[in-house]
Every structure is written in C-alpha cells, then in structure tokens.
Amino acid sequence: MNDKLLDKVTHLHEDGEHEKILELLENEPSEYERDGLYARALNNLERFNEAKELLLKHAKNGENDCVWHYRIGYSYYWLNEYENFINHFERYKELNSTMMSLDETAMLGYGYLQAQNPQKAIEILLSYPDEQNSFWNTNIARSYAYLEKYKEALPYALKAYDIVCSEYKDNTLEATPEAIMVSFLYTELEEFQKDIEFIKSIPYEQSHALNNALAYSYARLNRYEEALPYSLKAIELANQECEFEDEKFYASGAVIIYSNLNEQQKADELREKYGLTEELWLYTQEEIDCIDHHIEKTIGVYEDVFHEMVSDALHIDICIVKPTPQRDFYTLVTMGMGARKMDIPDEFKEYELERAELMICLPKNWNISSDDERYYWATRWLKILARLPYTDDTWLCDGHTIPTGEPLAGTSFECILLEKPYTFKGADVCELPNGEKVKFYQLLPLYKEEMEYKLENGVEELIELFDDDFSDVVNVKRKNYCEPNKAIAKFMQNFKKK
C-alpha cells in the first residue's frame, strides 16, 4: 500500500470516518496491510464477524505481528468468543514492546472472567490498578464473587457504584446495575439489614430488581409484612416493562411471603395467575428453628448456608458444618426436603418415614465452594435426592440405593446408598413441635459392583463386607469391597461360619 493512501486512511481513522475507509479501500487489491486496515474499520463499525473472517485469511502472516493479534482478539472479544480472545490478546501482550493500556488490561481481565477463570482475571486487573474506573472495579468485584469471596468483592462493588453515580450526577439510575451487584453481595453475606439500608439510601423505586431485593432481605429477616409491598411493586414494574419471566419469578417470591403470612387464598390466586400450579412446601418458622437446633446439637454448629435462590415446589438450602478438631471433615445437610411428606407404602407407615433430610460427609480438603463437578457433585446429589420423592412420586429411607447413571465426576462411584448417620449420636431423628418425625439419612457413594451385591444380597450383607478402613467420610480413592475375588472370599467365609 502506498504512503499517500495509508496517510488518508490514518486521517479518516482519527476522525472516526470508518465507512469512508471501507469505501477508499474497497477496490484496492487484497493483501496483508490493506486487509488489516479494512478489518480495523469493520471492527469499529461493529461488524466483528466480517473482520474476524478477513483477518483469518492472513493467520500465517500475522503469527508474529502484535497488531494482527490485537485486531482479531478484539473481534473475538465482541463476539463473546473469550477463549480465542484470550489466546490472541496474550500473544499481543507477549509481542508488544509497550505496556498494555488500562482499557486493554480491563478487556483481558473481563475475558478471563467470562472464560470462568476469575483468579486469573483478578491477577490481570490488579497488575494495572485504576481505582477510579467503574469497569475495573466492577470486574474485580465480579471475579471475587465468582470465587464466592463476597467480603473481598463488596468494597469494589461499592466503589463502582459510587463512581457511576458521580459520572451521572443528574441521573443516578444509570448506576442501577452496580447497585444490584452490591445488593447481591450483601445477601450472600447474609447482611440483610445492611442490604435494606443500602437500597433505601438510593433511587430504587423504579427498579423491579431492587424492589425484589428489598422484599427478599425483609423476608430473610422474617419481616414478611414489610417484604410484601416491595414484592408486589417488583411484580408491577416487571409487568410494565414486559419482563414476563422476571414478573413470574417475583410472583413466586410473593407466594412464599403470602404463605408465611397465612394468606393462603392470595398465594393461590398468584399461583393460578402466573401458572405456578405446583404447591409450595415450606417448613414453618417454628419447624425451622427445631431442625436448626437438632443439626447444631447432634451434627455441628453451622454458620454458612448455600441458599437456593430459585426454587420449585421445594426450597432446599444446604447447611455447611465445617471441620472441627473433633470431626475433621465437612458435613453438608439439607434443610427443606422434609417440608413435604413422602407417600410411604401402607406397610411402612408405622415407622414414620414421611419426612426426611439428607447429609453427606466430605474430607476437610474438599472445595465445597467450587462449581467444578469433581467437587460440586456432592451438593448436586443432595439436591437431586431431596427432590426425588417429589419429582418421581417415590420415597426414600435408609437402605435405598440410587444409581447415578454415570460415574460421579472424578470418581468411579456409580450409585448412592442412604444410611443412618451412625457417626452422629442422636442425629437420625428430629421430632418437630407437632410430634412428627424427620429422619436424617447419610449419602454413601458406592461402586457399581457394591450396588449389584447389595441388590442381590441385601444392605446388611453389603455392610458386612466393609472393614475398619471404611469411612462414612467420602474417599474418592477408597477400595472397592465388591471386587469379585474379595466379595466371593468374604461370602465363602460367612458361608463356612453358618
């Protein structure tokens, strides 16, 4: 490309005349420099896919060109293809002789966040701090929140909100997304009163999300009468904005509030109006307090809870009992399964098996906050089994085995056995204020061969195979007690005894 034409393109680019650049270069022969400038103009006109395709034609020539990597990385960024964006921007950073700009650093950090690598996002963003930039603060907050480090996230979220408010002094409603982030963090930290105080200190009245957040925090404080008007306002605003899915979601929250206010007719009216046909099953506050006391007395004190933000007919929270010197492992316990009675066969009704909660013991190095399926399967299967009697019209009790369909991630286990929590004295039964019993069952993952042995011989025979090395704390590398030679040897030993 000749210098005169290049000079024209440069001036047009500086003036933001990107359409004119395309017109100027349209009839020029395709070659590396021309196509690079043409792609840059396409990017600036938000025609990212065309820019990407044009740049890919020159992938070989651009392999060691930092500008080519920047341009195609930019296209991938706006096409939400973050893995490709990261690869090219990292190569751009490697080839570029100058330090990346703040905007480029922020883009790379955001890319890592979207690619589900929040720790790397934090590392990138903190390498070029700009505390007065709302985008930078917001993405630091999001990255920490992704890692469930809510305390670390909160100051950055608050800073982002303040910055946007100062930028839009005449219209602080522009900061509503940042305010929603702050509210989310307060609720995850279970600082519901602070959430209420924060939202009421800002212009929340026309935001359906913030009205719903207010309702949620009041409800979590059991202040249902105060929660109700905000819940109804959220529904009204969502309706005005034609946000039907949000409106329906808010209506499900209002149903919970009405139910706790014993206004069942109004709850039923909302269910019918929004197609929430399923009956919502919840413990009363008195029952919650009773089960909470039972868990803390027999299993352990818990401070953290995985709260279920969206529920169907059952609301299942997970209480997290952390390791202690006496019990050096995590115990996760459901809260909510027993709010709905199971349909027990007549021949077993005398055993009062209608209500149940579930638990699982995990080693102290288990990453309970991770969404990596190698760790998350424990939480996932607590929730699956807690809902199974409802979703499959069945019932569960100790001795039942449930196949997982495929091996649990990172293990060779293909089944789960429910058993009484023998490690925890008195934990197997909780008596509610009305005298009804809630049974507690522990999840024990099994190998396929162990499940088959249990189905053929019974659960007691299976447990007889377990030796002193067996622990009810999950060990993903424990031995298989029903490998053919071991199971047969044990069976023959028992047979000779008989």
Side-chain angles (χ1 to χ4, degrees):
M1 181 181 292
N2 64 62
D3 292 341
K4 186 176 179 180
L5 181 59
L6 182 59
D7 190 52
K8 283 184 179 180
V9 171
T10 300
H11 284 298
L12 288 172
H13 176 73
E14 291 172 351
D15 294 338
E17 299 284 358
H18 307 298
E19 288 283 5
K20 290 183 179 180
I21 293 175
L22 298 185
E23 294 172 7
L24 184 64
L25 297 178
E26 184 67 36
N27 296 318
E28 291 294 315
S30 175
E31 48 87 22
Y32 184 72
E33 186 175 21
R34 177 266 180 196
D35 288 354
L37 295 171
Y38 198 92
R40 181 180 66 179
L42 289 171
N43 271 335
N44 285 314
L45 291 167
E46 299 184 11
R47 293 161 63 178
F48 305 114
N49 199 58
E50 294 173 70
K52 178 192 75 172
E53 294 300 326
L54 183 58
L55 290 164
L56 284 173
K57 293 180 180 179
H58 301 283
K60 188 172 182 180
N61 290 335
E63 185 176 352
N64 295 307
D65 180 359
C66 69
V67 175
W68 181 85
H69 283 286
Y70 177 88
R71 288 170 178 164
I72 195 166
Y74 189 89
S75 300
Y76 279 125
Y77 177 87
W78 290 105
L79 289 169
N80 300 331
E81 297 182 34
Y82 295 109
E83 292 289 352
N84 287 327
F85 158 71
I86 289 168
N87 290 337
H88 288 288
F89 249 54
E90 285 288 5
R91 183 65 174 148
Y92 160 70
K93 186 172 70 169
E94 180 184 339
L95 294 168
N96 193 6
S97 59
T98 60
M99 183 180 290
M100 290 177 69
S101 71
L102 170 64
D103 288 341
E104 292 164 356
T105 303
M107 284 175 67
L108 186 56
Y110 182 76
Y112 272 112
L113 175 59
Q114 294 300 312
Q116 299 184 12
N117 190 344
Q119 192 61 57
K120 184 66 175 179
I122 292 169
E123 177 187 325
I124 293 289
L125 291 166
L126 290 179
S127 71
Y128 200 151
D130 182 18
E131 296 178 0
Q132 300 308 312
N133 182 292
S134 62
F135 184 68
W136 183 87
N137 279 280
T138 294
N139 284 309
I140 288 279
R142 286 175 177 167
S143 298
Y144 276 124
Y146 193 99
L147 294 168
E148 299 187 5
K149 295 182 177 180
Y150 304 118
K151 286 185 180 179
E152 290 87 342
L154 185 58
Y156 293 101
L158 287 166
K159 184 69 174 179
Y161 175 76
D162 289 340
I163 292 169
V164 176
C165 283
S166 66
E167 290 173 353
Y168 295 92
K169 292 179 180 178
D170 298 329
N171 185 13
T172 53
L173 288 175
E174 290 290 336
T176 298
E178 287 73 19
I180 292 170
M181 179 70 175
V182 172
S183 174
F184 165 77
L185 294 172
Y186 275 132
T187 57
E188 286 300 310
L189 290 167
E190 299 193 8
E191 295 185 7
F192 304 113
Q193 186 59 44
K194 286 187 179 179
D195 183 43
I196 292 168
E197 292 168 2
F198 168 73
I199 296 174
K200 287 200 165 186
S201 72
I202 65 176
Y204 69 88
E205 291 85 350
Q206 297 307 310
S207 167
H208 57 77
L210 289 175
N211 273 277
N212 187 65
L214 266 176
Y216 179 78
S217 285
Y218 274 122
R220 289 303 308 277
L221 293 171
N222 299 324
R223 294 158 64 179
Y224 298 107
E225 288 185 1
E226 293 168 274
L228 183 59
Y230 297 107
S231 182
L232 297 178
K233 185 65 175 179
I235 295 170
E236 176 190 336
L237 291 170
N239 176 268
Q240 291 172 3
E241 297 177 26
C242 300
E243 299 286 353
F244 180 73
E245 287 302 316
D246 286 335
E247 184 182 355
K248 185 175 180 179
F249 173 66
Y250 301 152
S252 66
V255 167
I256 295 174
I257 294 169
Y258 274 130
S259 298
N260 278 279
L261 290 171
N262 295 318
E263 296 190 39
Q264 203 56 48
Q265 182 177 345
K266 290 183 178 179
D268 292 341
E269 288 171 358
L270 275 182
R271 282 198 194 96
E272 184 176 354
K273 179 178 179 180
Y274 290 97
L276 306 170
T277 55
E278 300 164 332
E279 186 170 2
L280 188 66
W281 300 90
L282 295 168
Y283 284 124
T284 66
Q285 189 58 50
E286 191 178 17
E287 290 170 339
I288 290 173
D289 292 342
C290 179
I291 295 171
D292 178 78
H293 176 72
H294 174 79
I295 293 173
E296 295 201 341
K297 180 181 177 182
T298 64
I299 299 172
V301 175
Y302 65 93
E303 296 178 358
D304 296 332
V305 179
F306 289 150
H307 289 292
E308 194 167 61
M309 301 303 291
V310 180
S311 304
D312 48 21
L314 284 169
H315 181 86
I316 309 296
D317 288 333
I318 307 293
C319 307
I320 305 160
V321 181
K322 294 181 178 179
T324 66
Q326 294 75 31
R327 291 174 177 159
D328 197 19
F329 51 84
Y330 283 101
T331 307
L332 275 54
V333 190
T334 64
M335 172 82 83
M337 175 184 176
R340 179 186 183 272
K341 292 183 180 181
M342 295 182 283
D343 188 10
I344 306 297
D346 291 341
E347 60 267 32
F348 296 106
K349 286 190 174 178
E350 64 178 292
Y351 301 108
E352 299 182 276
L353 303 172
E354 285 82 3
R355 298 184 186 271
E357 296 294 344
L358 305 174
M359 55 191 287
I360 189 169
C361 296
L362 302 167
K364 63 180 180 180
N365 61 350
W366 197 271
N367 189 348
I368 60 169
S369 299
S370 175
D371 61 358
D372 185 324
E373 193 61 26
R374 291 175 300 169
Y375 301 103
Y376 187 70
W377 66 257
T379 302
R380 183 187 304 284
W381 275 94
L382 280 174
K383 288 177 174 281
I384 288 173
L385 295 183
R387 285 190 165 85
L388 190 67
Y390 164 72
T391 58
D392 288 27
D393 191 25
T394 186
W395 63 289
L396 296 173
C397 78
D398 58 302
H400 283 193
T401 44
I402 303 94
T404 58
E406 58 184 22
L408 299 171
T411 81
S412 297
F413 299 132
E414 296 187 49
C415 176
I416 292 173
L417 168 68
L418 299 185
E419 262 302 320
K420 293 179 181 178
Y422 295 109
T423 300
F424 303 88
K425 185 177 180 181
D428 57 323
V429 181
C430 171
E431 184 171 333
L432 297 177
N434 64 1
E436 294 183 351
K437 305 293 196 305
V438 179
K439 302 298 178 72
F440 281 70
Y441 305 122
Q442 185 168 350
L443 277 61
L444 300 176
L446 299 181
Y447 293 104
K448 181 181 178 181
E449 294 82 2
E450 292 172 341
M451 176 184 69
E452 291 172 346
Y453 184 89
K454 176 261 179 183
L455 293 175
E456 185 173 347
N457 300 282
V459 67
E460 292 181 0
E461 291 294 330
L462 173 64
I463 292 173
E464 279 289 318
L465 295 180
F466 298 157
D467 56 24
D468 292 339
D469 292 333
F470 181 82
S471 170
D472 53 8
V473 178
V474 170
N475 177 1
V476 299
K477 295 183 179 180
R478 74 164 175 83
K479 64 183 178 183
N480 184 341
Y481 287 91
C482 284
E483 289 176 353
N485 57 336
K486 294 180 182 178
I488 292 171
K490 185 73 174 181
F491 176 79
M492 291 304 296
Q493 183 182 4
N494 290 338
F495 179 78
K496 289 177 180 178
K497 287 181 181 178
K498 294 176 183 177

